[in-house]
Amino acid sequence: MASNRLPWWGRLRQVSAVVWITLVSLAAWLWLLLGQGFFWRTDVRLPPRREPSSWPSVCVVVPARDEAAVLPDTLPSLLAQDYPGHAEVFLIDDGSSDGTGGLARELAKRHGGLPLTVHSPGEPPAGWTGKLWAVRHGIALARARAPEYLLLTDADIAHAPDSLRELVAAAHGGGFDLVSQMARLRVESVWERLVVPAFVYFFSQLYPFRWIAVKGSRTAAAAGGCMLLRADAAERARIPDAIRQAVIDDVALARAVKDGGGHIWLGLADRVDSVRPYPRLHDLWRMVSRSAYAQLRHNPLLLVATVLGLVLVYLAPSLALVTGLVTGDAMAMVVGGFAKLVMTVTYLPTLRYYRQPPWLALSLPVTAILYLLMTVDSAVQHYRGRGAAWKGRTYARPDAALEEQ
């Protein structure tokens, strides 16, 4: 009874450190729920479309390095685009060793459709990533056709037959200089189910889609698998020369276009899919860790803040809930349970978008630990001098385009 007669400041002193930490976590989750652009919602799809009276010409640029395994499932979908205007495809073979270029020509002969040009520019010079060197050559070839739009798409992306038509109508209807769709990634293996939906969830948390389309906002991002870009906006932003060292090239491209006064849009795709498999944890680990530290601008303070933030936001609620159950601390149970509930509810729309069972939302803290370890590993590889490695190339220099932001 004596404790009940304590003044409020005395009762505050009795609150455990676990509860205080979890209250901060709960506050963070309430902010994320309501104040971070409703990032957790998955209803940001292609904006209202308006078909132009005269369909503009489009050149499709596909950088490809060792993509023979996926090209039969993706390139025919580009060649088969049902587009009323003039369109053609430029596949840039970025030093492949698996016959990517020859296979592309064979697929074009077999399937027909849009005209295809295959070009091999050779190894990139110092100061260029291989992909952006390939994109540079693709855009140079395209400019000879004087297109109004460029579609930059990866070799592992399969497009619905009306994909190009819908993208152009969306750009025309909304007056956008860049319209990008985040392709639906493959989720078939156990590890893909655990890691891939969370990748999209974390990305949208960092770059809320609703904020990206707001003119004058600082938020800028795109999804490299599908980016429709006005050719004149690309020239104003000096794409790709201005971002030639960028490991996270899609975000850097969006930032350059927006800084140049462009109006950009990013949302989730309905019928644009990545067919690239990530059957093992090792495959997904490499995919994330190759650029995770570049995302933090190779800043050790940001790395420490990220690790602490992940622990506080994603792990503290579960730890408080377990601690409360074990010790009988009712307040820890309530606060931890409420924070975990908010976390779980915000993840459900992403799981629904990926057609995954709702119970997987309970695994989000485990997935957060994996991403934490991937990020730390990315930093370790950077300081060992290995840089960002991908498809046989290592980019040891910092991501200059991100550091300039």
Side-chain angles (χ1 to χ4, degrees):
M1 295 297 294
S3 62
N4 292 332
R5 292 194 294 270
L6 284 173
W8 64 268
W9 58 84
R11 289 195 297 272
L12 282 179
R13 292 195 189 101
Q14 293 182 336
V15 175
S16 67
V18 170
V19 173
W20 282 118
I21 292 171
T22 312
L23 280 170
V24 176
S25 179
L26 175 58
W29 275 112
L30 292 176
W31 164 254
L32 289 171
L33 176 69
L34 301 173
Q36 189 66 5
F38 296 102
F39 78 94
W40 44 273
R41 293 180 57 173
T42 56
D43 57 347
V44 182
R45 309 296 173 91
L46 273 181
R49 273 81 81 196
R50 181 163 58 90
E51 295 190 350
S53 56
S54 176
W55 287 89
S57 62
V58 182
C59 286
V60 183
V61 177
V62 187
R65 179 175 172 85
D66 292 336
E67 299 287 14
V70 298
L71 272 188
D73 297 321
T74 59
L75 185 58
S77 75
L78 278 175
L79 300 176
Q81 284 300 297
D82 178 18
Y83 184 67
H86 176 76
E88 57 184 302
V89 180
F90 295 88
L91 186 138
I92 311 302
D93 184 5
D94 178 22
S96 299
S97 59
D98 64 351
T100 289
L103 176 60
R105 294 185 182 93
E106 179 186 331
L107 289 169
K109 289 180 182 178
R110 188 188 313 164
H111 293 277
L114 299 182
L116 173 71
T117 299
V118 178
H119 179 69
S120 300
E123 285 296 304
W128 282 84
T129 67
K131 179 179 178 181
L132 288 171
W133 181 244
V135 168
R136 184 178 192 271
H137 281 265
I139 291 179
L141 291 172
R143 279 179 177 151
R145 311 296 201 271
E148 188 171 337
Y149 287 97
L150 300 164
L151 175 60
L152 309 180
T153 185
D154 289 342
D156 66 315
I157 304 298
H159 293 257
D162 61 349
S163 175
L164 182 56
R165 181 177 189 142
E166 292 283 280
L167 285 165
V168 171
H172 178 73
F176 294 107
D177 297 288
L178 172 64
V179 172
S180 179
Q181 287 186 289
M182 179 166 282
R184 198 189 303 260
L185 305 175
R186 199 185 94 138
V187 283
E188 295 182 12
S189 71
V190 171
W191 290 112
E192 286 170 343
R193 293 172 188 271
L194 184 65
V195 174
V196 166
F199 175 84
V200 176
Y201 175 85
F202 293 143
F203 184 93
S204 61
Q205 193 177 99
L206 287 171
Y207 305 102
F209 295 163
R210 282 175 172 78
W211 290 358
I212 290 169
V214 176
K215 289 183 177 180
S217 75
R218 287 290 301 163
T219 307
C226 179
M227 300 187 291
L228 183 75
L229 177 63
R230 280 188 182 274
D232 57 357
E235 285 199 51
R236 285 197 307 271
R238 298 191 305 111
I239 301 297
D241 296 59
I243 60 171
R244 59 187 178 275
Q245 292 178 320
V247 175
I248 311 175
D249 52 88
D250 43 14
V251 174
L253 184 148
R255 167 58 58 201
V257 172
K258 198 164 193 178
D259 285 348
H263 191 193
I264 70 175
W265 182 94
L266 170 64
L268 295 173
D270 288 313
R271 294 190 298 157
V272 177
D273 302 292
S274 172
V275 304
R276 190 182 306 284
Y278 294 99
R280 303 170 300 166
L281 177 60
H282 173 72
D283 303 315
L284 288 159
W285 193 290
R286 288 179 60 235
M287 186 265 289
V288 174
S289 65
R290 73 185 178 93
S291 59
Y293 198 40
Q295 180 69 58
L296 300 178
R297 305 177 189 180
H298 302 100
N299 187 320
L301 294 179
L302 284 178
L303 174 65
V304 172
T306 298
V307 170
L308 293 177
L310 286 171
V311 171
L312 175 66
V313 175
Y314 289 96
L315 303 187
S318 298
L319 294 175
L321 186 58
V322 172
T323 300
L325 290 171
V326 171
T327 64
D329 187 339
M331 187 173 290
M333 279 191 290
V334 171
V335 177
F338 189 35
K340 189 170 180 63
L341 176 63
V342 177
M343 180 199 316
T344 302
V345 167
T346 62
Y347 193 35
L348 288 174
T350 302
L351 290 175
R352 191 178 306 117
Y353 171 74
Y354 273 99
R355 306 182 185 95
Q356 297 304 303
W359 60 263
L360 266 178
L362 298 174
S363 69
L364 188 56
V366 175
T367 307
I369 293 174
L370 287 175
Y371 274 89
L372 185 157
L373 295 174
M374 292 172 190
T375 302
V376 171
D377 180 58
S378 179
V380 169
Q381 299 306 319
H382 172 77
Y383 289 114
R384 285 182 175 177
R386 297 179 184 177
W390 189 245
K391 293 194 174 183
R393 288 197 182 108
T394 300
Y395 305 108
R397 294 187 61 181
D399 194 329
L402 287 174
E403 290 187 335
E404 290 169 359
Q405 295 175 20

